Amino acid sequence: MIYREDKTDKKITIKKRTWFGMEGVVEISQSFFHKAGLGKIVIPHPPLVNLLLRLGLNRDDKNFLSITHEFGHLQTFPQSVIYFLLISYFTIIQGRTSWQEILFLLISTHSVWEIMAELFTISSSGHQYKLLYKEVSVIPRIVFWTITILFSIGGWFLLFL
């Protein structure tokens, strides 16, 4: 694992190999965008889930869990592609072709990926995860889990109802 912290730009960049052999890159910064990707494909994105889930944590704990969560996305990328292909297959055979249905299914699929990334974070940090949140409100985590689970299940209800 390569760890580099740039105090002038207030960003942390980490590179490490995923379980399937590709180099993963995560860059978190104090700006509104994080970057994460595999190989040379690095995608900037707003850290909305990390902002919600890490409310109330100090900067070091927030950074640790955010980095782990972003690597969770990279580590679960093959599973999320399989899930996406599966739900796409059912979308096609069910004849769901309106842009609203497709958008909802994409949101549902992304919710599943967020769940996988946070489960990776929980399992990777073990007992430390619980300790870090010991004195922090549980409400943001309840909001995250409720929304992502409802969107995840909602995608399947849309397909089969």
Side-chain angles (χ1 to χ4, degrees), residues 65-92:
L65 292 174
S66 294
I67 289 166
T68 307
H69 180 90
E70 294 302 322
F71 268 110
H73 280 297
L74 302 178
Q75 294 285 20
T76 61
F77 181 70
Q79 295 91 328
S80 68
V81 168
I82 291 167
Y83 183 83
F84 174 75
L85 293 173
L86 179 68
I87 206 162
S88 296
Y89 170 76
F90 285 117
T91 301
I92 292 166

Side-chain angles (χ1 to χ4, degrees), residues 57-71:
L57 294 175
N58 67 50
R59 181 175 287 165
D60 289 339
D61 295 342
K62 189 180 296 188
N63 287 346
F64 167 71
L65 292 174
S66 294
I67 289 166
T68 307
H69 180 90
E70 294 302 322
F71 268 110

Side-chain angles (χ1 to χ4, degrees), residues 112-130:
V112 171
W113 198 14
E114 289 295 346
I115 289 169
M116 288 191 288
E118 194 60 15
L119 289 174
F120 176 87
T121 304
I122 292 167
S123 66
S124 294
S125 53
H127 186 63
Q128 187 177 7
Y129 189 90
K130 186 177 178 181

Side-chain angles (χ1 to χ4, degrees), residues 8-134:
T8 58
D9 289 340
K10 295 187 171 126
K11 66 181 178 182
I12 301 169
T13 304
I14 302 210
K15 296 179 181 183
K16 67 179 180 179
R17 211 152 286 296
T18 62
W19 67 268
F20 51 93
M22 292 190 72
E23 182 178 70
V25 179
V26 169
E27 179 182 295
I28 62 169
S29 67
Q30 302 308 312
S31 72
F32 187 64
F33 283 92
H34 288 176
K35 295 178 185 174
L38 295 168
K40 300 215 182 272
I41 301 171
V42 180
I43 301 169
H45 61 281
L48 299 177
V49 168
N50 280 312
L51 285 174
L52 173 65
L53 281 170
R54 315 304 170 217
L55 278 174
L57 294 175
N58 67 50
R59 181 175 287 165
D60 289 339
D61 295 342
K62 189 180 296 188
N63 287 346
F64 167 71
L65 292 174
S66 294
I67 289 166
T68 307
H69 180 90
E70 294 302 322
F71 268 110
H73 280 297
L74 302 178
Q75 294 285 20
T76 61
F77 181 70
Q79 295 91 328
S80 68
V81 168
I82 291 167
Y83 183 83
F84 174 75
L85 293 173
L86 179 68
I87 206 162
S88 296
Y89 170 76
F90 285 117
T91 301
I92 292 166
I93 66 170
Q94 294 291 330
R96 302 293 186 179
T97 57
S98 78
W99 70 269
Q100 295 97 334
E101 291 170 326
I102 291 170
L103 178 62
F104 187 79
L105 289 169
L106 288 173
I107 292 169
S108 173
T109 301
H110 188 74
S111 293
V112 171
W113 198 14
E114 289 295 346
I115 289 169
M116 288 191 288
E118 194 60 15
L119 289 174
F120 176 87
T121 304
I122 292 167
S123 66
S124 294
S125 53
H127 186 63
Q128 187 177 7
Y129 189 90
K130 186 177 178 181
L131 291 176
L132 293 176
Y133 283 107
K134 187 177 181 182

